[in-house]
């Protein structure tokens, strides 16, 4: 089964509600009706509702940037998967390196959140990636394999095919240093092999694996031409409607 490409924007801590509405207004009609590609924008929680409303009737979906693993309770500052769903989210980013680095996210908490997201019908976009110092001592593959295995711990095989992984080398995020496409392809292939070892080749073939890290309209065609790369998780270049629309139309972009 051919995997449908997925273009996901991660706004991080950018944009107010008004700015989110302006983005939705500015996004081209082509992007809003794109075929053959799934499109998701992940705004801050506060803008989720307005963005979902503003994009209603278009193909563009919205997602959260994190969630809690509990359904509800005394967890100050947290947002449950059910709350995300009710605000209009269909997807949720989990284990982004900024959450791992600044907010104590671990492979174990990512795994808990993954289970909670699936329970509430959200599509998780699970981020994995090595730091520069790990790459420099040839630890990339070990880091990736461990992060993928731990994320998948206890997830039933029949739920794995619907997951999305994102390979985001930490040194490539927000730095302008894109990972070479053939290397990104190799690591995405390694992620798929690791998944296959966990649940078999069938579900592993269905999982979509994105590349993230300084993706831009100028780089996307080459990245999407790689057989193991099924889409992109995009920070900076997703903030402007015009550049995000160019990424959505990746098959029309000439590098
Ligand atoms: P970037 O961010 O595209 O700005 O490098 C990617 C990400 O953090 O998901």
């Amino acid at each position: 089964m051919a995997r449908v490409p997925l273009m996901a924007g991660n706004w991080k801590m950018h944009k107010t509600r008004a700015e989110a509405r302006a983005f939705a207004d500015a996004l081209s009609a082509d992007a809003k009706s794109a075929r053959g590609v799934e499109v998701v924008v992940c705004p801050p929680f506060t803008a989720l509702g307005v963005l979902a409303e503003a994009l209603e009737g278009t193909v563009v979906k919205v997602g959260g940037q994190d969630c809690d693993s509990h359904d509800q309770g005394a967890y100050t500052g947290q947002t449950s998967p059910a709350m995300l769903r009710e605000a209009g989210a269909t997807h949720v980013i989990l284990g982004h390196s900024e959450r791992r680095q600044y907010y104590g996210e671990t492979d174990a908490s990512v795994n808990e959140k993954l289970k909670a997201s699936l329970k509430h019908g959200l599509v998780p976009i699970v981020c994995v990636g090595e730091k520069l110092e790990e790459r420099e001592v040839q630890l990339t593959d070990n880091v990736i394999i461990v992060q993928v295995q731990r994320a998948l711990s206890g997830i039933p095989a029949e739920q794995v095919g619907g997951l999305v992984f994102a390979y985001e080398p930490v040194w490539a995020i927000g730095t302008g240093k894109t990972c070479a496409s053939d290397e990104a392809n190799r690591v995405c292939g390694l992620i798929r092999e690791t998944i296959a070892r966990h649940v078999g080749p069938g579900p592993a073939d269905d999982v979509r694996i994105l590349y993230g890290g300084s993706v831009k309209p100028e780089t996307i065609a080459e990245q999407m031409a790689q057989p193991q790369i099924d889409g992109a998780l995009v920070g900076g270049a997703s903030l402007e409607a015009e550049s995000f629309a160019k990424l959505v139309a990746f098959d029309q972009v000439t590098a």
Side-chain angles (χ1 to χ4, degrees):
M1 189 184 72
R3 298 182 292 267
V4 177
L6 172 57
M7 213 47 71
N10 171 15
W11 284 359
K12 311 190 178 186
M13 200 172 72
H14 293 286
K15 294 194 192 292
T16 61
R17 288 154 53 92
E19 287 163 346
R21 225 179 270 118
F23 174 96
D25 288 346
L27 194 61
S28 68
D30 283 352
K32 286 177 181 167
S33 60
R35 284 169 181 272
V37 54
E38 192 175 354
V39 187
V40 184
V41 178
C42 302
F45 291 137
T46 46
L48 204 57
V50 288
L51 190 65
E53 267 169 44
L55 291 169
E56 215 179 306
T58 77
V59 300
V60 185
K61 299 168 181 166
V62 302
Q65 298 175 10
D66 182 33
C67 69
D68 198 79
S69 57
H70 300 91
D71 286 353
Q72 58 181 344
Y75 302 103
T76 301
Q78 295 300 94
T79 306
S80 75
M83 291 167 184
L84 287 183
R85 277 298 297 261
E86 201 241 1
T90 51
H91 293 63
V92 62
I93 298 170
L94 296 177
H96 190 279
S97 66
E98 286 150 19
R99 297 222 56 91
R100 293 179 192 256
Q101 186 180 348
Y102 305 133
Y103 305 104
E105 190 82 86
T106 63
D107 291 334
S109 60
V110 170
N111 176 251
E112 290 302 312
K113 292 174 179 190
L114 180 45
K115 289 174 182 159
S117 305
L118 289 172
K119 181 173 146 200
H120 290 279
L122 286 167
V123 177
I125 302 174
V126 183
C127 302
V128 297
E130 82 287 358
K131 299 188 196 111
L132 183 58
E133 55 268 33
E134 293 164 336
R135 173 161 285 267
E136 283 173 346
V137 293
Q138 278 75 51
L139 274 178
T140 299
D141 292 13
N142 298 44
V143 169
I144 299 299
I145 290 168
V146 169
Q147 287 179 342
V148 172
Q149 282 175 340
R150 291 188 179 159
L152 290 176
S153 172
I155 309 290
E158 64 273 16
Q159 294 203 290
V160 170
L163 300 180
V164 179
F165 276 81
Y167 170 50
E168 296 209 312
V170 178
W171 48 271
I173 295 177
T175 58
K177 288 187 201 144
T178 317
C179 181
S181 295
D182 54 350
E183 172 63 4
N185 184 63
R186 187 191 70 80
V187 179
C188 289
L190 174 68
I191 294 172
R192 200 176 305 285
E193 273 168 38
T194 308
I195 299 168
R197 271 201 295 278
H198 185 79
V199 291
D205 265 351
D206 292 340
V207 173
R208 281 169 303 165
I209 304 178
L210 317 181
Y211 167 75
S214 298
V215 171
K216 297 179 271 298
E218 303 79 56
T219 65
I220 192 71
E222 185 186 308
Q223 287 154 342
M224 293 303 291
Q226 306 296 320
Q228 294 293 341
I229 299 180
D230 303 316
L233 181 57
V234 188
S238 74
L239 290 170
E240 297 299 329
E242 201 184 328
S243 65
F244 189 61
K246 283 186 187 158
L247 294 168
V248 170
F250 66 90
D251 49 355
Q252 292 151 37
V253 175
T254 43

